[in-house]
């Protein structure tokens, strides 16, 4: 009889232990944590600049040359003076600083035009990642057409050295001003000078910003090894 009571006591304790165990403690990885911190910092920065945040449109991680996450690009839909805009906020993990770019002027010109349905846009700046290593001066070229296809390339001048190309379908475009917009594309094909520019099927994404008809920034990556790049346009271009 004593043994039977002991068995039931053990079962009861086990059931109670399960009932009291913490529930719903979802684990988040470091990238998700940093992206959440970026969204919060960008909201605060927008408020400091007297912008009302309607929503966070997207958050994309920024990778350094070694593939390590160094920050995030956050697209915010904001309101000021009765006008609504999309602005890009760049967050730096190391300094924990948030900087809002492509801020429209107070008269509301930041969303006065629609995105073109086709065209070609150039840029010149510094690219990192993939075949460019830590940083190389490159030319950027974005082309897209009315069938919703896009092609984006980065190449060391005069285009005979290190080079990468991403192509695929446009997922969305958002106007940020006259001749200014952000294009988000779904990469379907990738080519690199490391492989004699052989085009291969690849899954990934690109976010490319055009300001005043010039490519000023991009973040692209695919599941192909050594395919991630980041581009920042030079101010003098």
């Amino acid at each position: 009889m004593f043994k039977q009571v002991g068995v039931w006591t053990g079962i009861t304790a086990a059931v109670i232990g399960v009932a009291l165990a913490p529930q719903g403690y979802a684990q988040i990885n470091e990238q998700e944590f940093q992206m959440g911190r970026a969204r919060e910092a960008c909201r605060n920065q927008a408020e400091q600049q007297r912008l009302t945040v309607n929503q966070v449109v997207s958050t994309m991680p920024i990778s350094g040359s070694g593939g390590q996450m160094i920050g995030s690009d956050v697209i915010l839909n904001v309101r000021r003076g009765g006008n609504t805009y999309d602005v890009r906020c760049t967050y730096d993990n190391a300094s924990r600083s948030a900087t809002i770019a492509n801020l429209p002027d107070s008269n509301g010109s930041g969303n006065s035009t629609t995105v073109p349905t086709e065209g070609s846009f150039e840029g010149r700046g510094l690219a990192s990642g993939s075949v460019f290593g830590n940083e190389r001066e490159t030319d950027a070229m974005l082309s897209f057409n009315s069938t919703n296809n896009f092609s984006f390339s980065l190449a060391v001048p005069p285009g005979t050295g290190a080079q990468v190309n991403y192509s695929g379908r446009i997922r969305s475009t958002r106007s940020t001003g006259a001749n200014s917009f952000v294009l988000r594309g779904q990469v379907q094909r990738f080519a690199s000078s490391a492989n004699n520019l052989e085009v291969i099927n690849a899954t990934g994404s690109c976010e490319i910003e055009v300001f005043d008809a010039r490519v000023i920034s991009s973040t692209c990556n695919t599941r192909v090894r050594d395919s991630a790049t980041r581009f920042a346009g030079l101010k003098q271009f």
Side-chain angles (χ1 to χ4, degrees):
M1 183 67 181
F2 174 79
K3 290 183 178 180
Q4 185 176 9
V5 171
V7 170
W8 282 106
T9 302
I11 295 174
T12 303
V15 172
I16 293 175
V18 171
L20 295 179
Q23 301 294 321
Y25 284 91
Q27 297 292 325
I28 64 172
N29 58 36
E30 178 66 16
Q31 176 173 301
E32 292 170 337
F33 173 77
Q34 292 293 353
M35 289 170 67
R37 177 176 281 177
R39 288 188 286 269
E40 181 180 0
C42 286
R43 281 182 175 274
N44 292 338
Q45 182 62 34
E47 292 176 359
Q48 290 180 18
Q49 295 182 224
R50 299 182 180 180
L51 299 169
T52 300
V53 178
N54 296 322
Q55 63 174 329
V56 176
V57 178
S58 66
T59 308
M60 292 187 66
I62 300 171
S63 299
S65 57
Q68 192 78 12
M69 181 182 178
I70 60 174
S72 298
D73 274 336
V74 182
I75 305 299
L76 302 172
N77 183 262
V78 300
R79 186 174 68 256
R80 183 175 66 179
N83 297 290
T84 301
Y85 323 96
D86 278 353
V87 296
R88 180 169 62 90
C89 175
T90 300
Y91 177 78
D92 182 82
N93 288 357
S95 63
R96 297 188 180 182
S97 61
T99 304
I100 293 180
N102 65 290
L103 183 63
D105 56 39
S106 59
N107 63 15
S109 62
N111 205 27
S112 59
T113 61
T114 59
V115 177
T117 57
E118 57 185 358
S120 296
F121 304 87
E122 299 179 358
R124 182 171 299 161
L126 301 174
S128 59
S130 189
V131 295
F132 306 111
N134 290 333
E135 201 168 68
R136 295 282 299 276
E137 184 173 341
T138 57
D139 290 333
M141 171 64 75
L142 168 66
S143 300
F144 57 92
N145 56 36
S146 56
T147 61
N148 233 28
N149 294 315
F150 83 96
S151 175
F152 180 64
S153 64
L154 296 171
V156 174
T160 57
Q163 183 177 350
V164 295
N165 179 269
Y166 307 88
S167 59
R169 300 282 291 174
I170 298 174
R171 296 174 58 188
S172 66
T173 53
R174 292 182 178 272
S175 173
T176 55
N179 296 316
S180 304
F181 57 90
V182 175
L183 180 148
R184 299 182 187 90
Q186 179 180 350
V187 176
Q188 298 173 329
R189 293 167 296 278
F190 174 73
S192 168
S193 57
N195 196 27
N196 297 318
L197 294 178
E198 178 184 353
V199 178
I200 59 176
N201 293 330
T203 301
S205 63
C206 272
E207 179 167 304
I208 305 158
E209 182 174 358
V210 173
F211 179 77
D212 195 20
R214 295 171 180 170
V215 178
I216 63 168
S217 70
S218 71
T219 303
C220 296
N221 61 77
T222 79
R223 293 184 179 180
V224 177
R225 183 179 178 181
D226 295 328
S227 65
T229 60
R230 178 168 169 79
F231 171 80
L234 297 175
K235 293 182 179 180
Q236 61 266 32
F237 176 73

